[in-house]
Amino acid sequence: MDPTAPSVTNSTNGTTEETTGFPFSHEAAVFVACLLGIMAVFGILANTLTIVVITMSRKLRSVFSLFIISLCASDLASALVSPFFIYRRTWGFNFWMIPDFFCKFSWCIHMWTNYVTAIHIVCFAALRLCAIARPIQFREIKQHHAQICIAVIWFICFLAGGVPLAVMFGVEQDRDSGIVGKFPACAVLEDSLDDFKLYHYVAYPIFFFLPIILVTVISVAVGVFFYKRQKQKQESNLSSVKSVSQDLVTDSKNGLNKINKTKKKAENETFAILQLSLIVGSFLIGYLPFTIYQLYGYTVPPESPKDERNDWNFGISEYILLRFSECLNPIFYNLASKTMRDETKRVLNSFFCWCCRRKANR
């Protein structure tokens, strides 16, 4: 661990023990680094694959697909800077041995993409609600509208999240006293602590708590609309069956087309609800603990070694959940859409065939 860690005498038996100077054990650091490292690699590969699949497929081009691509880009950026956060929470906890730029850069990307993801989830849920409740108005939303909206979201979140964190965060190596000494070396600077407290009391409710509330309310509204529509369909089943039966008698092809269209529409609605539920569930798994920790950590700083261990456990747990939720997203995109699964298989098959041909030509 830290070679400069001091030796202390154990008052109970008079022996001298080496203290690590860290609120965690070497074994815990290795386990966390391996676990988060695996998640980072998976997140990079899975999100890159999802972006490639949607971009290359004509079947997947839609307003929703554009938001999914943007969400994957956000998760990909987070995965790319996650090694710096692994280092920050393990061997770089007390002494940040790499340039200060990487501390500022990683926090800038981290908070920027977190804001982007939170706003994207709200927009995605709102679009699903519009598609179910107001399908005619939803058809007026074109892909270029979505592109403009996505660009504005990224720009605003950069100004609100990326820039302030890059300014207020950095490496504080002299951490022997004060609140700064309770946190990792790469954290909020002591001179910016008061500004950050004000910032996170204003910004976090806007970009985290409000989206969580909105996403929950919108998801419930989508469920209510879906339930009402299903109930209406059940009530109109008799008339529909009679109508289709008549068509089958007079024109079997016309009747079968009606059955297939009704079945396909019901499947699409079910997949839409499933996709929204999975994405919202993943968002809450990752961002609710993260938001609570961010508000808790700088409001109730650890005062004792036990508090510091608890703070580290809480902080690393919420970060693991955040990374886990970002790994789940590409999986959920495929689980909720048969078209997405088919296109993913097609792209993977094309890639493996290309690799085999290249190997054979050597």
Side-chain angles (χ1 to χ4, degrees):
M1 302 292 281
D2 175 20
T4 64
S7 299
V8 297
T9 302
N10 190 327
S11 59
T12 57
N13 53 25
T15 60
T16 300
E17 297 178 348
E18 291 294 326
T19 63
T20 64
F22 294 88
F24 52 86
S25 65
H26 176 74
E27 292 76 12
V30 171
F31 173 77
V32 165
C34 291
L35 178 62
L36 289 173
I38 293 172
M39 289 184 181
V41 172
F42 179 83
I44 291 170
L45 295 178
N47 284 290
T48 301
L49 175 62
T50 304
I51 293 172
V52 171
V53 168
I54 296 177
T55 303
M56 293 179 61
S57 174
R58 293 183 179 180
K59 297 179 181 179
L60 295 173
R61 292 178 184 175
S62 66
V63 172
F64 291 110
S65 296
L66 290 175
F67 276 92
I68 289 177
I69 289 175
S70 189
L71 279 168
C72 287
S74 176
D75 290 343
L76 176 61
S78 294
L80 288 171
V81 300
S82 63
F84 297 112
F85 281 89
I86 297 173
Y87 176 69
R88 172 181 178 267
R89 278 289 179 177
T90 53
W91 296 281
F93 188 90
N94 277 345
F95 295 96
W96 184 268
M97 304 302 294
I98 57 179
D100 177 73
F101 166 80
F102 293 105
C103 172
K104 291 181 173 293
F105 175 75
S106 58
W107 269 108
C108 171
I109 299 298
H110 179 63
M111 198 57 64
W112 181 14
T113 54
N114 284 344
Y115 284 5
V116 166
T117 298
I119 303 302
H120 271 51
I121 297 296
V122 175
C123 293
F124 192 90
L127 286 172
R128 282 297 181 201
L129 178 61
C130 181
I132 293 177
R134 298 287 186 271
I136 296 176
Q137 288 80 357
F138 175 75
R139 294 190 190 99
E140 297 177 1
I141 302 175
K142 306 301 180 183
Q143 291 192 30
H144 68 273
H145 296 144
Q147 291 170 346
I148 294 172
C149 180
I150 289 169
V152 170
I153 290 172
W154 278 89
F155 180 70
I156 291 176
C157 291
F158 174 71
L159 294 181
V163 173
L165 270 292
V167 172
M168 291 186 287
F169 277 62
V171 177
E172 199 85 64
Q173 298 288 18
D174 185 13
R175 302 164 58 252
D176 295 332
S177 63
I179 187 175
V180 173
K182 308 296 183 181
F183 299 111
C186 172
V188 59
L189 297 170
E190 190 167 13
D191 293 341
S192 302
L193 188 58
D194 292 334
D195 294 335
F196 177 71
K197 285 182 178 180
L198 176 61
Y199 169 82
H200 91 298
Y201 279 131
V202 175
Y204 283 15
I206 294 174
F207 287 96
F208 290 126
F209 281 139
L210 183 59
I212 288 172
I213 294 170
L214 288 176
V215 163
T216 304
V217 172
I218 294 172
S219 300
V220 171
V222 169
V224 170
F225 274 105
F226 184 72
Y227 172 77
K228 288 182 177 180
R229 179 166 294 183
Q230 292 298 104
K231 191 174 181 180
Q232 290 173 356
K233 287 181 179 179
Q234 290 175 358
E235 292 174 352
S236 62
N237 269 347
L238 286 176
S239 59
S240 297
V241 169
K242 290 179 181 179
S243 175
V244 172
S245 299
Q246 185 65 30
D247 287 334
L248 284 171
V249 173
T250 57
D251 186 350
S252 59
K253 187 177 180 180
N254 184 39
L256 289 174
N257 286 337
K258 279 192 175 183
I259 291 174
N260 290 333
K261 286 181 180 179
T262 303
K263 183 179 179 181
K264 186 176 181 180
K265 186 176 180 181
E267 288 178 351
N268 290 338
E269 288 183 351
T270 301
F271 282 133
I273 297 299
L274 176 61
Q275 185 185 58
L276 177 61
S277 301
L278 292 174
I279 292 175
V280 169
S282 173
F283 171 69
L284 294 177
I285 287 172
Y287 283 83
L288 190 57
F290 166 80
T291 306
I292 293 173
Y293 174 73
Q294 292 297 319
L295 290 176
Y296 160 83
Y298 291 97
T299 305
V300 187
E303 298 294 340
S304 66
K306 182 178 179 180
D307 291 340
E308 291 179 15
R309 287 193 298 270
N310 291 337
D311 181 84
W312 186 85
N313 291 331
F314 190 0
I316 204 65
S317 297
E318 60 83 11
Y319 189 69
I320 289 173
L321 288 174
L322 187 64
R323 296 270 75 80
F324 179 64
S325 72
E326 292 173 354
C327 290
L328 285 177
N329 286 335
I331 298 174
F332 287 166
Y333 301 149
N334 282 274
L335 286 177
S337 171
K338 184 179 183 302
T339 305
M340 184 73 180
R341 291 195 299 273
D342 292 340
E343 291 299 297
T344 300
K345 291 176 184 177
R346 184 182 64 81
V347 170
L348 288 175
N349 287 335
S350 300
F351 175 75
F352 286 127
C353 290
W354 176 80
C355 290
C356 292
R357 287 195 302 270
R358 187 175 181 182
K359 186 176 180 181
N361 292 332
R362 287 181 179 178

